Amino acid sequence: MNPKELFAESKTIIPGGVNSPVRAFEPYPFFVKEAKGSHIIDTEGNDYVDHCLAYGPILLGHSDDDVMADVYNQMKMGTAYGAPTENEVKLAKEVIDRVPCAEMVRFVNSGTEATMAAIRLARGFTGRNKIVKFEGSYHGAHDYVLVKSGSGAACLPDSAGIPEDTTKNTLSVPFNDVEALTKLIDEEGENIACIIVEPVMGNIGCVEPNVKYLKFLREITEENDILLIFDEVITGFRVSRGGAQEYYGVKPDLVTFAKVLGGGFPIGAYAGKKEIMSLIAPAGPVYQAGTFSGNPISIQAGLSTLNKLDYEFYGNLARKGDYLRTNISDIVEDLNLDLQVVGLASMFQIYFNPEPVVNYEIAKKSDAKRFLVYFRELLKNGVFIPPSQFECNFISGAHTEEDLDKTAQG
Ligand code: PLP
């Protein structure tokens, strides 16, 4: 039985990672038997160079020996306590040391929880209700951020089970568009609690902010007493040691993390200015908590992961990213293909659209059918990338030059 047949027959599960509207039209192509470093082996023994990397978290490569050993040792000491640990404090200090805006940190279990809490905090801090997001962005599976043009991974109509009150309070504008945001803030500014942004849009492929756009966001939010939230669930600890805010030199009020931070284990975090973060209960009035928040397994995985992510690691990763993008671009030029390869650091995307992609409207023009052909061809050639034109592709520290050559040739 292959995965497609199983999912068609199954009445017992709604598969976790494959349960998005996108994956519904191209089911996961294999069952994984094992994963090590940059490779996945399926149940039929096929070996793939993996650029999905569990949609991002596996920055060190699958089953990193050091992380696994530390986590195993921690498991022998218990898996959950409901009490703080020294490691949690150590991990918080490590985050604060790296991330410019982080003065206080709270750990949760996913990116969704982190963005939900950051938005709740922003509403509590400002006493305002509305939030602004960008078209095509994805900030997790909670009501506020699923409506008004979700990304390719979550294009829900406003009516899909989301209360009307919530849809009314979510506003959205195109990314990289100064005029649209200025107009919105002129009209609605005094009702807006926060702007939440993926500093590099990783859920419409990979779209960098225009030069100065993030600085503009910082200025317009400060002028209008609106909080700026960077959703660094994808970019955090990936594009540089201190994430996108360090990379672009723009400091938000709050930031959210997940993916890379857990080294393959479920974790999330939000952090930011003390005066905002200290509103969280029990010290303050804004409630956020969770049974497994700060659990010792994920915290240990995070600590062991960050211990390995030093300046040298990021230097090597950036070189690998440049190597792959240049390699593919050269082949594209030689073959005179009308597609473009974009990305930064360990993120890359191929758009089947000759126009420079600056926001969702243009990302949508990338030819989905050609993307699927390319995805299937790569798979036949032993390269696995996410099966959607909107999902960013990743490189891990474990990828070798040989892996990257195989990807480019594929
Ligand atoms: N924010 C961004 C930018 C994401 O890409 C994602 C997930 O892909 C999330 C938030 C939600 O994170 P999680 O899936 O861990 O809940």
Side-chain angles (χ1 to χ4, degrees), residues 110-113 115 138-141 198 203 231 233-234 258-259 267:
S110 67
T112 297
E113 271 185 83
T115 59
Y138 181 63
H139 301 292
E198 292 177 72
N203 285 284
D231 179 351
V233 164
I234 288 183
K259 298 199 189 272
I267 201 169

Side-chain angles (χ1 to χ4, degrees), residues 55 109-115 137-141 145 153 196-203 231-235 256-259 267-268 391 394:
Y55 294 96
N109 301 300
S110 67
T112 297
E113 271 185 83
T115 59
S137 64
Y138 181 63
H139 301 292
V145 289
I196 182 164
V197 61
E198 292 177 72
V200 179
M201 298 266 278
N203 285 284
D231 179 351
E232 296 223 41
V233 164
I234 288 183
T235 54
T256 59
F257 299 112
K259 298 199 189 272
I267 201 169
E391 309 275 7
F394 300 103

Side-chain angles (χ1 to χ4, degrees), residues 107-152:
F107 296 108
V108 290
N109 301 300
S110 67
T112 297
E113 271 185 83
T115 59
M116 191 175 62
I119 289 169
R120 190 177 294 155
L121 254 181
R123 296 175 101 205
F125 185 78
T126 59
R128 299 168 174 182
N129 275 336
K130 303 209 171 188
I131 71 153
V132 176
K133 68 183 283 266
F134 291 90
E135 287 168 7
S137 64
Y138 181 63
H139 301 292
H142 62 94
D143 289 2
Y144 279 103
V145 289
L146 275 183
V147 290
K148 308 278 183 205
S149 321
S151 72

Side-chain angles (χ1 to χ4, degrees), residues 32 36 118 234 290 400 406:
V32 177
K36 183 75 191 159
I234 288 183
T400 60
K406 189 169 174 183

